[in-house]
Amino acid sequence: MSDTVPLHYEELGTGPATVVLLHGYPLDHTLWQAQLAALSDICRLIAPDLRGHGQSPAPTGEYRMETLAADVVALLDRLDVAQAVWVGHSMGGYVALAALRAMPERVSGLVLCASHPFADPPDKAQARRDNARRALAEGTASVVSGMLDTLFKPGTNLESIVMHRVRATMLNTPAQGVAGVLLGMAARPDSVDLLRNPAPPKAIIAGREDQIIRLADLQALATQMPHLSLHVIDEAGHLPMLEQPDATTAALRALLTYWLR
Ligand code: MLT
């Protein structure tokens, strides 16, 4: 793992089990602030800034999801953690799936939060490659500015404090980080098959009003795979941990308490 980068991270809580909380694109670990505080009584929580985001390094080039996963595993190695439950928000879920594919022995459970296992259709992959070029040529704002209102449930006050915080976090993401993960997301494979095995335990937490991920697709997965539990958070879009922090924490607490018993 010589090409991994050292990740900035926040850690809270103690306990025999470790949970890693992975943010989505183009955000950082502060996305999980409420859950870090609220779940630290039941486990050790580690929330990194993924490569290219927050305070972590942003090298040049494409960031494959397996590379982001390798960075997280290198961090777990440094912290002496052999196995963890991987909770991934959106792109963080793609990273957790990449970890499950490449290093299943490091994954004791998987939660996709406002995330899914499908590859990009060709038009979406092409749009990401175009946006990667734009980010490098014109800067982060040229690509991320239009995303903000799609992250929240329809009708959310665009001037709320939470919105301002998310906007600032997004704009703080280096253009190289934006481009790196856009190229990596475009290249990721379909991972539906990884969910078919009941072990390690797996779950999905979804915002009922997510404008980016179709709830019906997640419901179809959960119907096909009865071991895959689906928790739907009402009054939430693509950021349930911010829009409904208590309900999201409660869903995570219920899963973790059951899995770590
Ligand atoms: C995210 O929130 O991480 C992104 O919406 C993921 C994606 O673009 O597929």
Side-chain angles (χ1 to χ4, degrees), residues 157-186:
N157 171 14
L158 292 175
E159 293 309 320
S160 70
I161 290 171
V162 172
M163 272 273 202
H164 278 292
R165 199 153 52 81
V166 171
R167 184 186 285 121
T169 305
M170 290 166 72
L171 291 173
N172 186 46
T173 308
Q176 185 52 62
V178 170
V181 291
L182 283 172
L183 294 172
M185 285 194 281

Side-chain angles (χ1 to χ4, degrees), residues 14 22 31 34 40 44 47 62 75 79 82 87 90 100 110 119 121-123 159 162 172 180 200 204 206 223 242 253:
T14 52
L22 303 179
L31 180 76
S40 61
R44 180 181 184 187
E62 175 179 326
L75 172 63
L79 298 175
V87 178
S90 201
L100 185 62
L110 177 112
D123 56 335
E159 293 309 320
V162 172
N172 186 46
I204 300 180
T223 305
L242 293 181
R253 178 179 287 278

Side-chain angles (χ1 to χ4, degrees), residues 24-25 89-91 94 124 128 185 212 238:
Y25 156 84
H89 167 247
S90 201
M91 181 186 73
Y94 312 157
K124 183 158 188 185
R128 289 200 204 270
M185 285 194 281
I212 295 178
H238 194 57

Side-chain angles (χ1 to χ4, degrees), residues 33 37 47 98-99 120-121 143 147 178 197 215 218 225 230 233 238 255:
Q33 215 70 63
D120 282 344
V143 171
M147 281 176 65
V178 170
N197 190 343
L215 182 59
L218 304 177
M225 304 179 199
L230 174 62
I233 310 288
H238 194 57
L255 282 169

